[in-house]
Amino acid sequence: MNNPSPASQRGGDSEASIKRGLWSSRMAFVLAATGSAVGLGNIWKFPYVTGENGGGAFVLVYLFCIAAVGLPIMMAEILIGRRGGASPIRSMGQITRRDGHHRAWGLAAVIGVLAAFLILSFYSMIGGWAVSYISTSATGQLTGLSADAIGEIFSGLLGNPWALLGWHTLFMALVVFVVIRGLRGGLERAVTILMPALFVLLLIVVGYAMTTGHFGEGVAFLFQPDFSGLTTAGVLVALGHAFFTLSLGMAVMMAYGSYLSKNVSIAKTSIVVSVMDTGVALLAGLAIFPIVFANGLEPGAGPGLIFQTLPLAFGQMPWGSLFGTLFFILLTFAAWTSAISLLEPVVEWLEEKKGMSRGKSTIGAGIACWLLGIVSILSLNVWSDVTPLGMFAMFEGKTIFDLLDFVTASVMLPLAGLLVALFAGWIMTREALQNELAMSARSFSLWYGIIRYVTPVAVAVVFIYNLL
Ligand code: PHE
């Protein structure tokens, strides 16, 4: 899904890359951006937050956030990156200096890099869960088990900090390994096969879900809006998730945009990436909820949802061990390409700010993330009763892991996104924007109106509502 380390092309051999390389093609960019966007957010997080927030109404708000907030911001991030032509923090600096804007706008990129760092720490832990299920499935341990037995396997994993630490370490090592070396054509090619393969496997599980006799119930849960189940906090989760799943607010798309050649349409590319990302999430929902209802499970079971439902499906379908193993390999791969893109901005920042070599910055950032990840691991078992901000009603019962998730996805990402929208919509010159987007006058006006008014107002309203 990815050529996430375009740095490997920096100073590369193509004619266009005197100083910094460019993506070899539009396709390479689409793959890298999709590889970043499609990850645990789609298959792990989307179903469980949908389940926790009552289904259809949440999905509707989420789709609205993707279209009215996510897509326009994705375009803005890519265009800022391309115009700045450097790492995110430097790109924002570059544009502000060149066009005489206040330097404080660079804050958006700083929040983004910090958020990327925090997210990667727990993302790697969840990536580790996916890796561990490859072996659980391959050794046939899931075959024919009841829902209870599968639940026990999962809680056994969470209750074992040493096992979690091992998988977390393995996952982080995989990420560091790739970011240090930079990716070459090999993985880019592999991605063109693995991405469609993930799609096909999801379709197979959806096919199985159709045979459970509860498919209609699953579809209704996802698509029949019942607003009584949706709280204002749920709306904030939907907004935050739109940023998370599209890899926005973390300077990732800015970093990737900086390697994009001038003659690629930012709008079309962003639409392709958003549609694919949303498609994978909805397919995951269609695969999972029928299984939930068929087995009398709880849709609001939380972060363990896919690890308690999908193994049931694989345990019952023919060739289940094979499909299950393949599925978790692909899930690991999807998580891997996203994690790589999370580490990249942190590494670029260390290289630029601290003048460290690529090897040193990658290992340093990797170790720091790995250490912080241990906190999330412990909060699932040894520290499961530790709720540092529990005295505030809003954070009642939230463990450190829950807080990290909340602070990043629901606070930092929307905030960084808001700054990006304001910067693009109100600070950058219309000429600069028009020049980058190169759209018809009508489409440009539509985007301009959305990024100036709709996006900031939507984000601000949801925010303020939740703080009051
Ligand atoms: N979009 C990724 C996912 O849905 C997560 C991610 C966020 C990756 C931000 C990179 C940057 O899993």
Side-chain angles (χ1 to χ4, degrees):
M1 285 158 233
N2 217 332
N3 185 348
S5 183
S8 63
Q9 303 170 356
R10 211 173 272 175
D13 27 27
S14 87
E15 293 165 24
S17 61
I18 310 294
K19 278 221 187 86
R20 308 176 90 234
L22 292 178
W23 297 104
S24 50
S25 63
R26 168 168 180 260
M27 194 57 192
F29 176 79
V30 170
L31 284 176
T34 312
S36 170
V38 175
L40 294 170
N42 308 64
I43 296 170
W44 161 71
K45 196 168 183 189
F46 171 75
Y48 99 74
V49 289
T50 299
E52 282 182 340
N53 289 285
F58 177 86
V59 174
L60 203 64
V61 175
Y62 158 78
L63 291 176
F64 173 81
C65 290
I66 293 281
V69 180
L71 180 60
I73 291 189
M74 183 183 291
M75 292 170 60
E77 283 201 15
I78 296 176
L79 86 82
I80 290 173
R82 187 162 80 179
R83 191 154 184 85
S87 80
I89 294 182
R90 191 176 276 182
S91 280
M92 296 277 293
Q94 210 82 290
I95 299 177
T96 47
R97 223 170 304 122
R98 188 165 59 202
D99 302 340
H101 309 306
H102 199 289
R103 284 185 49 202
W105 287 103
L107 189 62
V110 177
I111 299 180
V113 170
L114 190 61
F117 174 77
L118 296 176
I119 290 180
L120 183 55
S121 75
F122 65 81
Y123 203 87
S124 165
M125 170 183 81
I126 315 280
W129 298 359
V131 184
S132 89
Y133 270 74
I134 299 177
S135 74
T136 316
S137 181
T139 50
Q141 290 176 51
L142 301 172
T143 316
L145 293 188
S146 67
D148 284 344
I150 285 191
E152 269 163 36
I153 291 188
F154 183 68
S155 39
L157 175 67
L158 295 203
N160 183 346
W162 290 108
L164 291 174
L165 182 66
W167 298 118
H168 165 60
T169 309
L170 177 61
F171 187 83
M172 194 60 103
L174 283 173
V175 175
V176 166
F177 174 75
V178 174
V179 176
I180 285 190
R181 304 169 42 137
L183 291 185
R184 297 278 167 189
L187 196 58
E188 192 177 311
R189 238 170 288 134
V191 159
T192 41
I193 302 167
L194 292 170
M195 187 75 168
L198 182 64
F199 244 92
V200 171
L201 264 171
L202 267 177
L203 283 176
I204 291 178
V205 187
V206 173
Y208 167 82
M210 286 178 176
T211 67
T212 58
H214 289 72
F215 193 67
E217 219 176 313
V219 172
F221 182 76
L222 272 177
F223 296 114
Q224 253 173 30
D226 165 14
F227 282 89
S228 66
L230 189 68
T231 58
T232 51
V235 176
L236 181 62
V237 173
L239 177 73
H241 186 63
F243 282 98
F244 185 88
T245 190
L246 293 179
S247 300
L248 300 177
M250 258 155 300
V252 171
M253 292 297 165
M254 263 185 225
Y256 280 11
S258 71
Y259 299 94
L260 190 60
S261 103
K262 282 281 175 208
N263 47 33
V264 170
S265 157
I266 292 182
K268 277 193 207 134
T269 316
S270 305
I271 291 175
V272 171
V273 175
S274 309
V275 167
M276 292 210 274
D277 186 76
T278 309
V280 173
L282 294 177
L283 270 184
L286 282 177
I288 285 162
F289 287 108
I291 303 174
V292 168
F293 295 121
N295 292 280
L297 297 167
E298 193 40 60
L305 188 64
I306 67 158
F307 295 95
Q308 284 159 314
T309 49
L310 292 180
L312 264 177
F314 294 126
Q316 286 163 14
M317 66 171 76
W319 301 88
S321 284
L322 177 67
F323 284 139
T325 310
L326 270 177
F327 179 85
F328 285 109
I329 290 177
L330 293 169
L331 180 62
T332 300
F333 196 84
W336 191 19
T337 54
S338 298
I340 289 166
S341 75
L342 277 166
L343 189 54
E344 182 70 22
V346 184
V347 169
E348 286 192 10
W349 179 79
L350 286 176
E351 283 180 308
E352 268 180 23
K353 275 274 175 208
K354 308 281 173 213
M356 288 160 66
S357 70
R358 183 158 191 96
K360 270 202 187 132
S361 0
T362 313
I363 292 184
I367 291 182
C369 261
W370 176 80
L371 280 173
L372 186 60
I374 295 177
V375 174
S376 290
I377 289 180
L378 291 175
S379 72
L380 296 176
N381 34 67
V382 184
W383 293 346
S384 59
D385 295 331
V386 180
T387 53
L389 298 177
M391 59 277 206
F392 301 106
M394 197 176 165
F395 299 125
E396 214 184 297
K398 281 199 191 308
T399 63
I400 305 179
F401 163 54
D402 297 333
L403 287 175
L404 270 175
D405 176 37
F406 176 81
V407 167
T408 50
S410 298
V411 180
M412 296 174 81
L413 302 189
L415 200 62
L418 178 63
L419 291 176
V420 167
L422 292 175
F423 183 71
W426 294 90
I427 304 294
M428 287 180 73
T429 60
R430 206 184 157 108
E431 293 66 52
L433 297 171
Q434 260 164 337
N435 183 309
E436 287 299 332
L437 291 179
M439 298 195 289
S440 69
R442 193 187 282 168
S443 322
F444 178 80
S445 304
L446 177 66
W447 175 82
Y448 202 46
I450 295 182
I451 202 89
R452 275 167 82 87
Y453 302 102
V454 181
T455 308
V457 169
V459 176
V461 166
V462 174
F463 244 142
I464 294 170
Y465 231 91
N466 270 280
L467 293 182
L468 291 184

